[in-house]
Amino acid sequence: MTGPTDRLPREDVTTVEIPRVPDDPTPEPAEETPTRRSGFWRELSGALAAGLLVLAVVVLAIQVVDQAQGMPGPGVLVVIAHFLCAACALALQRQADRRRGPQAGLMILLIGVVTGIAVWFFWWA
């Protein structure tokens, strides 16, 4: 009879030895991933791009509801233009998130321009 801490002999167990790495007094430094600061302008442009997409979906919903009730709604051209502006802004934001320096600044500026165009021509004018 064996006690609770004794192991029973098993014939189907295979033992594998794992090679040991010698202790090195100077361990290699782990790879550091560079941290990127987003910055106010990059975050603002991302919010504008996401807002344009939400706005495009809202305009589409209004068009569908109005058509279902027999009203003309904003129009197909307006819906398509909203989605084109949103797609353009999202593509620019993607590029801005992957670039640094003046290139990212230009993309962020263009997002502001696209947003301004969409708001000016379809909401204020």
Side-chain angles (χ1 to χ4, degrees), residues 2 6-10:
T2 59
D6 294 334
R7 294 185 175 232
L8 296 174
R10 291 183 53 178

Side-chain angles (χ1 to χ4, degrees), residues 78-92:
V78 173
V79 174
I80 291 172
H82 273 83
F83 274 102
L84 285 176
C85 288
C88 183
L90 289 172
L92 286 168

Side-chain angles (χ1 to χ4, degrees), residues 52 55 114-125:
L52 275 178
L55 187 63
V114 168
T115 305
I117 288 171
V119 170
W120 180 265
F121 284 105
F122 300 111
W123 292 93
W124 288 344

Side-chain angles (χ1 to χ4, degrees), residues 34-66:
T35 57
R36 287 188 182 179
R37 287 184 41 209
S38 294
F40 172 76
W41 296 109
R42 192 177 304 244
E43 292 172 0
L44 178 66
S45 66
L48 289 175
L52 275 178
L53 180 63
V54 169
L55 187 63
V57 170
V58 167
V59 170
L60 176 66
I62 291 171
Q63 178 68 31
V64 169
V65 169
D66 285 349

Side-chain angles (χ1 to χ4, degrees), residues 93-108:
Q93 182 63 37
R94 180 177 174 156
Q95 292 302 316
D97 285 342
R98 285 164 174 67
R99 298 195 192 309
R100 289 185 161 200
Q103 291 177 339
L106 178 64
M107 302 293 174
I108 291 169

Side-chain angles (χ1 to χ4, degrees), residues 16-36:
V16 177
E17 286 192 30
I18 301 174
R20 292 195 61 161
V21 179
D23 293 334
D24 188 13
T26 57
E28 293 181 23
E31 274 190 45
E32 294 182 19
T33 57
T35 57
R36 287 188 182 179

